[in-house]
Amino acid sequence: MQYTYLLVNFFTIIIPFLFSFHPRLKFHKTWGAFFPAVFLTGLVFVLWDMLFTKMGVWGFNDRYLTGLEIGNLPVEEVLFFFCIPYACVFTFHCLDLFMNEIGGSKTQKIITLFLVAFLLIFGTIHSSKSYTATTFFSFAILLLYAQFILKINWLTRFYVIYAVLLIPFFFVNGILTGSWIEEQVVWYNPEEFMNFRIGTIPVEDAFYGAELILMNLLIYKYLLNRKKAVAAANLKTTAL
């Protein structure tokens, strides 16, 4: 039982890792962008996690842990911020290769503004609940930054792919929150979230996960584009 969380991380990443070297996918060739993205995003989320663990917003069941810790977090929890983004960014990379264009800039803007409005309204209503308010407000800010400051054109694609990712998300997070096992691996303080669950999963987790993956993707795509721009500039210089 003490390897439960560790095995969840392992089985989340093993298939995406093995298929990273597939000749049609070649995800391993983007590692130079992925690893800085996952490190920077992971640093933000690990610090957030450490703070909320210290505040008692959530905690961990020793029964399902190896006992190794980094700061006040189980090592499995820290690995979560590498394994889950790896699987999700890999999936985005694969689907992005074969997916046709979805909607347009107007559709993306409408969906984004609707989602931001939802997050701000419910974040304000539940402003006394740390997990709800922090997740909803920070995700709303990230979406606004992506839409209006960075002006990225793939947000609609992210929404569609994340909807697909919610299927394995509910399975993995279901195990961590107590589905199919005797106790929760991760417990939540009922005073710090809306206490509305999908099965055993707090609904905030879906938005927390979306923010985690979007932040990874924003950095990852930026680094990929910069690498392509440098390569194009070098090619032009060589041609001259």
Side-chain angles (χ1 to χ4, degrees), residues 81-99:
F81 296 110
F82 172 79
C83 295
I84 299 300
Y86 190 99
C88 292
V89 174
F90 168 81
T91 303
F92 185 95
H93 169 82
C94 294
L95 295 180
D96 196 37
L97 290 174
F98 306 106
M99 186 180 287

Side-chain angles (χ1 to χ4, degrees), residues 40-172:
L40 292 171
T41 304
L43 180 61
V44 172
F45 275 79
V46 165
L47 292 174
W48 178 359
D49 204 341
M50 286 180 169
L51 176 61
F52 272 26
T53 300
K54 183 177 181 181
M55 292 170 56
V57 175
W58 53 53
F60 308 92
N61 188 340
D62 292 339
R63 180 181 180 185
Y64 299 105
L65 305 172
T66 59
L68 298 174
E69 295 185 342
I70 298 177
N72 62 344
L73 298 180
V75 68
E76 296 89 342
E77 178 75 352
V78 177
L79 289 173
F80 175 93
F81 296 110
F82 172 79
C83 295
I84 299 300
Y86 190 99
C88 292
V89 174
F90 168 81
T91 303
F92 185 95
H93 169 82
C94 294
L95 295 180
D96 196 37
L97 290 174
F98 306 106
M99 186 180 287
N100 295 324
E101 286 298 320
I102 301 173
S105 59
K106 186 176 181 180
T107 300
Q108 174 177 299
K109 187 175 180 180
I110 291 171
I111 295 173
T112 301
L113 288 176
F114 177 82
L115 184 53
V116 167
F118 169 87
L119 292 167
L120 293 178
I121 290 169
F122 278 86
T124 301
I125 292 172
H126 300 281
S127 59
S128 63
K129 302 180 186 300
S130 299
Y131 185 27
T132 307
T134 303
T135 301
F136 284 15
F137 287 143
S138 60
F139 188 32
I141 291 169
L142 185 64
L143 287 172
L144 290 171
Y145 180 72
Q147 174 68 47
F148 296 105
I149 305 299
L150 297 180
K151 297 182 179 179
I152 63 171
N153 60 2
W154 47 265
L155 265 182
T156 304
R157 186 170 298 228
F158 165 73
Y159 298 142
V160 173
I161 294 176
Y162 187 70
V164 174
L165 289 169
L166 283 175
I167 298 171
F169 164 84
F170 283 123
F171 179 75
V172 170

